[in-house]
Amino acid sequence: MSTSTSGETFESQSVSQRVIAAVADETGKEPTEVGPLYHVIDPDALDRLFSATRGGSRTRGYVEFTFAGCNVVVRGAGDVEVSERDLTAELADDTESPARVGSYEEA
């Protein structure tokens, strides 16, 4: 069980706090160094989406997004999976596929 700097256990944090902590852990940075989450997703909406319902906790669905150089997946019960993105593979993919640019014809 991991503990945040505020003394909260990882499991008792909100989903948005878990995302920030998990990305910081994956990248070896402090949570304050990974950047604001709200630049990529609304933290309040993320927390509400994965909050408990009248029937208990959610077990289905997921949200996937990129944050601070990491791929982030939040699953139904609020579980957070983080993996650093492979930027060299993405750059290679970009150079191999030609850019699509619109064309026009003069009348």
Side-chain angles (χ1 to χ4, degrees), residues 3-23:
T3 305
S4 72
T5 55
S6 66
E8 286 183 310
T9 61
F10 185 79
E11 292 78 15
S12 69
Q13 294 176 334
S14 68
V15 172
S16 58
Q17 289 172 321
R18 286 186 219 164
V19 167
I20 293 168
V23 168

Side-chain angles (χ1 to χ4, degrees), residues 30-52:
E30 291 295 318
T32 56
E33 297 175 323
V34 296
L37 183 59
Y38 62 81
H39 282 195
V40 296
I41 194 165
D42 181 334
D44 293 331
L46 187 65
D47 292 340
R48 283 192 309 272
L49 184 61
F50 291 100
S51 65

Side-chain angles (χ1 to χ4, degrees), residues 23-92:
V23 168
D25 187 50
E26 181 71 21
T27 59
K29 297 180 179 178
E30 291 295 318
T32 56
E33 297 175 323
V34 296
L37 183 59
Y38 62 81
H39 282 195
V40 296
I41 194 165
D42 181 334
D44 293 331
L46 187 65
D47 292 340
R48 283 192 309 272
L49 184 61
F50 291 100
S51 65
T53 63
R54 290 182 197 182
S57 65
R58 298 179 193 273
T59 57
R60 299 172 66 182
Y62 69 95
V63 173
E64 186 172 358
F65 56 94
T66 302
F67 173 55
C70 294
N71 293 320
V72 178
V73 180
V74 182
R75 301 211 180 266
D79 297 327
V80 177
E81 298 172 15
V82 175
S83 60
E84 282 195 89
R85 296 176 65 198
D86 183 1
L87 297 178
T88 55
E90 288 179 32
L91 291 174

